Amino acid sequence: MVVMWALLVLTAAVLAWARWIQQDIQLDGNANRRAEALAMAHSGIAVAMATLGSGERPPILDEELGTSLGFRVRTLPEGGKLNLSWLLEPNPPQLQPAKTMILKSWLSMRGFNYKESDVFIDCLIDWTDADNLRQLNGAEEEANYHPPNRPLQSLDEVMQVRGSEPLRRSPGWQDQVTLTQPGQSPLLNIMAAPVQILRIIPGLDENRIQRLLAYRAGKDKIEGTKDDPEALGKVDAYGQLGFNQAQLQQLRQITTDQTQAVRILADGHSGKVVRQVEVVARKSGGYPQILSWKE
């Protein structure tokens, strides 16, 4: 009887040890898969960057290396975010009404009421201008509040500005705005802006927006593919919108349809494991300038 119990205990111990070894091997295998998938994503980025270096926009890339390794790369025009630095810049004065309208429309979309947007915009101006003169609804130096009187240095800093509380209840707002970056135009790129942002641009009605989106997607109706105007190197977005010369001139003061930077999305896979790398790079005659890298 004692021998049988000993055998049972020994068998249970061996089975537990075997399961532990199997789990350890599986964990090591998963770690290897993740590393291989990330390496594949890096390979896709390298191929896309090499194409950008020639001055072209890389088309969609889909490569399979062996039976379980590969990558897929898409590139999209960058600059489709509202540039807060530019919207708060007081010059040129004739653009101030349009800039204020855009900023108020965006804040309304993010849940601000009329009074809250007036307060926040004035506080943003007081935060970023060079003087200590208080705007009507703004705030300058106080005991527990210290505006630096210089341009914003990061989007996180926006949350330090008085009146920014509604943004805390609006997740995802940072995905729609940016600050001036080297090599990027401060103007909104209508070839990259999402439909929600296009709808707050003065002069763009729904009919024109849908026409623009169809033009951006090309014949296959999918953005980021080989038949897009960007990929073909022939961009004339304004020509699709039916504006007269005066309307076109006004729109060109706050938007552009030319891409100086692109967002490269590379998905690498090893078996069923997928890793993504996202890079924003500026086209140039030599190797492209990397503006941001996220993985």
Side-chain angles (χ1 to χ4, degrees):
M1 195 69 173
V2 172
V3 173
M4 289 183 64
W5 274 110
L7 288 173
L8 286 173
V9 171
L10 182 60
T11 300
V14 169
L15 289 175
W17 177 79
R19 281 196 295 270
W20 179 80
I21 290 294
Q22 185 179 24
Q23 290 173 354
D24 196 45
I25 292 173
Q26 186 175 4
L27 287 173
D28 287 343
N30 288 338
N32 288 336
R33 288 290 191 187
R34 289 193 293 271
E36 289 174 346
L38 184 59
M40 288 295 99
H42 284 182
S43 297
I45 293 293
V47 173
M49 293 286 282
T51 307
L52 269 183
S54 67
E56 301 175 4
R57 178 185 171 200
I60 191 167
L61 303 171
D62 204 339
E63 296 289 339
E64 292 295 328
L65 308 175
T67 57
S68 62
L69 299 175
F71 60 79
R72 186 173 189 271
V73 179
R74 293 184 302 125
T75 60
L76 297 169
E78 182 68 355
K81 298 179 180 181
L82 296 175
N83 196 308
L84 284 181
S85 298
W86 182 75
L87 289 174
L88 293 169
E89 170 60 46
N91 295 314
Q94 66 269 22
L95 287 185
Q96 275 306 102
K99 289 182 178 183
T100 302
M101 182 184 301
I102 291 171
L103 191 49
K104 283 189 173 183
S105 297
W106 179 72
L107 291 174
S108 176
M109 184 173 68
R110 302 311 308 189
F112 284 69
N113 61 36
Y114 185 82
K115 179 62 177 177
E116 289 171 335
S117 66
D118 279 349
V119 170
F120 184 47
I121 290 174
D122 280 359
C123 287
L124 274 171
I125 294 172
D126 283 338
W127 186 277
T128 57
D129 63 16
D131 58 51
N132 285 312
L133 300 176
R134 180 178 174 273
Q135 299 290 314
L136 178 63
N137 300 290
E140 285 288 357
E141 183 73 20
E142 296 177 7
N144 297 313
Y145 186 71
H146 310 286
N149 298 117
R150 48 129 178 91
L152 291 165
Q153 295 182 343
S154 72
L155 290 179
D156 289 337
E157 187 181 336
V158 173
M159 302 306 295
Q160 301 174 35
V161 178
R162 181 168 294 175
S164 62
E165 290 79 10
L167 285 181
R168 302 182 189 277
R169 304 189 296 270
S170 182
W173 67 269
Q174 290 185 333
D175 296 332
Q176 294 182 330
V177 292
T178 186
L179 303 175
T180 301
Q181 297 292 330
Q184 290 181 278
S185 169
L187 304 179
L188 180 78
N189 187 346
I190 60 173
M191 290 295 292
V195 65
Q196 299 95 328
I197 298 299
L198 292 174
R199 285 180 176 141
I200 64 177
I201 302 303
L204 286 181
D205 56 37
E206 191 64 28
N207 180 56
R208 286 189 170 100
I209 290 172
Q210 294 306 317
R211 201 183 310 169
L212 174 62
L213 293 175
Y215 171 71
R216 280 171 23 174
K219 292 183 179 179
D220 66 359
K221 300 181 181 181
I222 302 174
E223 287 197 47
T225 54
K226 294 180 181 180
D227 72 336
D228 292 4
E230 280 280 340
L232 297 173
K234 301 176 181 177
V235 177
D236 181 24
Y238 295 114
Q240 315 298 314
L241 300 178
F243 284 114
N244 61 40
Q245 196 59 37
Q247 293 171 323
L248 187 59
Q249 184 177 359
Q250 289 182 340
L251 187 61
R252 282 184 179 275
Q253 290 180 315
I254 55 178
T255 66
T256 180
D257 65 349
Q258 300 301 308
T259 297
Q260 293 178 311
V262 296
R263 184 174 298 270
I264 305 171
L265 303 172
D267 293 315
H269 70 84
S270 175
K272 295 182 179 180
V273 177
V274 178
R275 295 291 298 273
Q276 184 179 83
V277 176
E278 181 178 306
V279 173
V280 176
R282 180 172 63 88
K283 301 177 184 179
S284 67
Y287 195 75
Q289 178 188 4
I290 295 176
L291 303 177
S292 71
W293 183 294
K294 182 171 67 175
E295 56 184 59

